[in-house]
Amino acid sequence: MRRRVAAVDCGTNSIRLLIADIDPERTVLTDIAREMRIVRLGEGVDRTGRLSQAALGRTIGALREYAELIGQASPVAVRMVATSATRDAENAQEFTGRVKEVLGVAPEVVTGDEEARLSFTGATRELSGTPAPYLVTDIGGGSTEFVLGGPEGVSGARSVNIGCVRMTERHLHGDPPAHAEIAAATADIDSALDLVAVSIPAGEARTLVGLAGSVTTVGGIALGLQRYDSERIHHSRVPAARVHEIATALLGQTRAERAAIGVMHPGRVDVIGAGALVLDRIMIRFGFAEVLVSEHDILDGIAWSLVL
């Protein structure tokens, strides 16, 4: 029997809404509404340890729009998950209180491991005929999650702090970034991937599934799209050599040049170079020949969690 649910994912860079009808018996999720706003909730958190008032204002403003859409759709259940930036912030309670006032439910500030498991569910629930085990990697704004598993479930997970916003704020300051800045970001990413390798046998995976805006933007560029097309991007495959080529090009471009790319969301212009670099280093470190790009991620996993 189909159930209508609403899921909200609030990350470091964006806040997203999915209202969907889910049929658990047929394993089918049907979108009613899917929205995304770039709010940069985590702006400056790596440096200050706090959510800024400007970032809170942008996020709550977007959430008011979502609350109106949720009210119109009348779902049977609503769940909001907050991830990396909120975990790291000293004033997370202020954010939680303001969200509850607007949405009627408090956000769940999940651990990195739970974030990873939700991403895995969203990315793999509808996969069929794709060789397992899968390594699902979700490149967020503050952190990147890795989950290894297959149709039988998750066998390992690890979250590391190498998101696209965090890497940009730490290292990539030039326009375009200097070689030394890129080298520092690369070293930071590679050190985190060493931790992943110790935690889970990522090299055992037969399929790399890449999630979130950095990966889908790289997918759109690889397809040569003039505008963002989620249907064409979803489940496209990008060879490792093409990922490396795109990452290198993005890191060598000015902000204006990146902004002119047809598939580029304005809110990703500043951080896409770091996100593409993270994906490139993952593929090099674990020897993947290609990445399967998925438009279904933690947001879909949150929705599925309401019916499973």
Side-chain angles (χ1 to χ4, degrees), residues 3-307:
R3 297 184 67 198
R4 179 163 295 182
V5 299
V8 179
D9 166 42
C10 186
T12 300
N13 197 43
S14 64
I15 184 167
R16 300 180 300 148
L17 167 70
L18 171 62
I19 302 172
D21 287 339
I22 297 182
D23 186 335
E25 294 181 1
R26 295 174 54 232
T27 321
V28 173
L29 181 151
T30 304
D31 289 10
I32 303 302
R34 194 180 285 260
E35 301 285 336
M36 189 268 286
R37 306 283 186 274
I38 300 288
V39 294
R40 293 281 173 88
L41 177 62
E43 187 174 42
V45 168
D46 192 52
R47 176 176 50 83
T48 67
R50 296 180 61 82
L51 302 170
S52 73
Q53 290 304 308
L56 284 168
R58 293 192 298 267
T59 305
I60 296 303
L63 200 57
R64 291 188 203 283
E65 297 178 41
Y66 291 173
E68 184 174 344
L69 291 172
I70 291 169
Q72 293 168 359
S74 301
V76 297
V78 179
R79 184 183 184 192
M80 177 174 172
V81 164
T83 54
S84 178
T86 316
R87 283 197 302 268
D88 298 340
E90 295 173 3
N91 58 336
Q93 284 300 116
E94 178 184 356
F95 171 68
T96 298
R98 292 178 67 176
V99 167
K100 191 169 183 180
E101 287 178 8
V102 172
L103 198 60
V105 298
E108 300 173 44
V109 183
V110 297
T111 65
D113 283 350
E114 175 61 13
E115 182 179 353
R117 290 171 191 276
L118 288 168
S119 294
F120 185 85
T121 299
T124 66
R125 191 75 186 174
E126 297 170 287
L127 280 183
S128 61
T130 302
Y134 318 117
L135 180 66
V136 174
T137 183
D138 185 345
I139 302 174
S143 62
T144 294
E145 278 62 53
F146 296 83
V147 198
L148 182 68
E152 69 285 352
V154 170
S155 58
R158 181 66 193 254
S159 176
V160 286
N161 286 333
I162 52 170
C164 60
V165 174
R166 195 183 299 267
M167 289 299 94
T168 301
E169 290 185 351
R170 280 186 185 176
H171 304 293
L172 305 179
H173 305 131
D175 185 25
H179 291 301
E181 293 174 342
I182 297 170
T186 300
D188 202 353
I189 294 164
D190 288 351
S191 293
L193 296 182
D194 288 342
L195 299 177
V196 174
V198 169
S199 302
I200 56 175
E204 294 181 3
R206 296 181 63 194
T207 301
L208 174 66
V209 184
L211 315 183
S214 291
V215 179
T216 58
T217 300
V218 168
I221 294 170
L223 288 169
L225 302 181
Q226 295 306 304
R227 62 179 181 80
Y228 197 91
D229 185 337
S230 60
E231 289 188 8
R232 289 189 62 187
I233 292 170
H234 186 49
H235 286 178
S236 62
R237 296 173 184 267
V238 186
R242 184 68 176 124
V243 170
H244 182 72
E245 180 181 292
I246 291 168
T248 301
L250 289 168
L251 289 165
Q253 291 172 338
T254 65
R255 189 186 190 285
E257 288 170 333
R258 294 192 302 274
I261 297 171
V263 299
M264 189 72 63
H265 188 287
R268 298 206 187 280
V269 172
D270 293 335
V271 299
I272 186 59
L277 180 62
V278 171
L279 178 60
D280 184 35
R281 299 311 298 177
I282 290 168
M283 298 183 76
I284 291 170
R285 177 66 175 78
F286 298 116
F288 288 105
E290 66 177 14
V291 59
L292 174 65
V293 179
S294 178
E295 287 276 356
H296 292 182
D297 52 24
I298 186 173
L299 186 60
D300 302 76
I302 298 165
W304 280 106
S305 74
L306 293 169
V307 300

